[in-house]
Amino acid sequence: MLLSNMEIIPQRKINKHLGLVQGSTVRAKHVGKDILAGFKNILGGELVAYTELMTEARDEATQRMVEQAESIGANAVLNVRFATSSVAQGAAELFAYGTAVVLEPERGVSEPTATPTSE
Amino acid sequence: MIEIIVLLILLILGYGFGSYREKRHYQSILEREEQLRHIMLFESRFPPDIKTSGDAQLVQGNVVISADYFKIFVAGLRKLVGGRLRSYESLLDRGRREAILRMKEQANKAGASKIFNVKFETSSISKGEQNTLGSIEVLVYGSALS
């Protein structure tokens, strides 16, 4: 599955447009982590536990979007956007959406993202 | 009396640790920016007509950062008269530059040299006491091409 936040992929043709796909997750923080974060509010700096939590949650939202795209037979999601909203005190919703498309297969290669080519 | 002592201790701790860590963080940001300078960022929606190879790949970087007690206190005082909150400006600057660096590192690992359609998003994921600044998340993402 190819993910990109551009509307086109250079040198590739879009064969079919399948419409909007989306994925979201609502996450709350763990009380222990919240207390630790309270200390960090005195000392300042990065809250590593939160950074990990947000990355994990965003990956999950992306994963759900990809599953939806796969189920309708797409091989790429273009124009991917992320949104974050705080739905309640201590809980955040992470949302990912994009356009599912069928890209023209690359000559001879079936899985284009597997090996990045560098010269 | 005890309250004043606690406040002073918190301010000293916040100032000490906060400014030490900010200095260290800026140092590491500058070093890594130098290392990753070969990766170019573009905000344009479409890639320009230049030679690229391989397919686009979504790359992203995020960081959750929080202010120290001293910064929150100073900003609270500053709010009485209004104007620039310098203590928060440097915080957001650090967060954003760190997120860009993480995105660039991801692109570097994938062997890409350019990132197109770079988008920023900032959100406040929790509030501190009395609605002061809590923790802020900065997210930056784009499409990497080699």
Side-chain angles (χ1 to χ4, degrees), chain B residues 73-137:
Chain B
F73 185 79
V74 169
L77 289 181
R78 187 72 188 164
K79 267 188 211 155
L80 298 175
V81 290
R84 275 179 73 174
L85 300 174
R86 268 171 223 268
S87 60
Y88 287 174
E89 280 174 0
S90 70
L91 186 79
L92 283 160
D93 177 53
R94 271 162 68 199
R96 219 161 264 136
R97 283 163 83 172
E98 178 71 37
I100 291 176
L101 283 169
R102 288 183 185 176
M103 178 179 71
K104 278 186 167 183
E105 272 159 19
Q106 214 180 328
N108 200 22
K109 226 180 265 173
S113 60
K114 299 169 196 75
I115 305 174
F116 293 101
N117 205 1
V118 176
K119 301 261 183 244
F120 285 98
E121 201 193 310
T122 311
S123 53
S124 165
I125 60 166
S126 75
K127 284 269 177 284
E129 280 167 58
Q130 288 145 23
N131 239 0
T132 54
L133 181 139
S135 34
I136 294 172
E137 196 208 14

Side-chain angles (χ1 to χ4, degrees), chain A residues 2-12 29 34 37 40-56 58-59 62 65 79-86 88-92 94-95 97 103 106 111-113 115-119, chain B residues 10 13-15 17-18 21 25 44-47 50-58 60 62-70 72 91 94 98 102 109-111 116-119 121 123-128 133-137 139 141-143 145-146:
Chain A
L2 195 149
L3 293 177
S4 164
N5 77 336
M6 283 189 293
E7 288 155 55
I8 54 158
I9 298 289
Q11 287 123 42
R12 296 282 294 270
K29 291 161 301 192
D34 218 21
K40 276 284 178 73
N41 270 337
I42 296 167
L43 305 179
E46 193 193 339
L47 307 172
V48 183
Y50 278 11
T51 307
E52 274 165 18
L53 184 86
M54 296 299 270
T55 312
E56 227 171 74
R58 199 165 280 118
D59 285 349
T62 313
M65 178 181 75
N79 211 0
V80 174
R81 293 289 140 94
F82 293 109
T84 313
S85 49
S86 163
Q89 179 63 39
L94 295 143
F95 181 48
Y97 58 105
L103 284 182
E106 222 175 10
E111 195 53 60
T113 47
T115 47
T117 49
S118 55
E119 280 160 49
Chain B
L10 286 178
L13 269 178
Y15 182 72
F17 277 94
R21 285 164 75 142
H25 193 196
S44 55
R45 280 166 66 207
F46 298 103
I50 50 174
K51 184 97 183 76
T52 54
S53 60
D55 273 317
Q57 192 194 343
L58 195 72
Q60 60 181 50
N62 72 330
V63 60
V64 178
I65 204 162
S66 102
D68 58 60
Y69 200 81
F70 184 76
I72 293 170
L91 186 79
R94 271 162 68 199
E98 178 71 37
R102 288 183 185 176
K109 226 180 265 173
F116 293 101
N117 205 1
V118 176
K119 301 261 183 244
E121 201 193 310
S123 53
S124 165
I125 60 166
S126 75
K127 284 269 177 284
L133 181 139
S135 34
I136 294 172
E137 196 208 14
L139 167 72
Y141 58 101
S143 296
L145 279 168
S146 43

Side-chain angles (χ1 to χ4, degrees), chain A residues 91-114:
Chain A
E93 192 209 16
L94 295 143
F95 181 48
Y97 58 105
T99 311
V101 295
V102 178
L103 284 182
E104 191 174 67
E106 222 175 10
R107 305 122 251 149
V109 187
S110 56
E111 195 53 60
T113 47

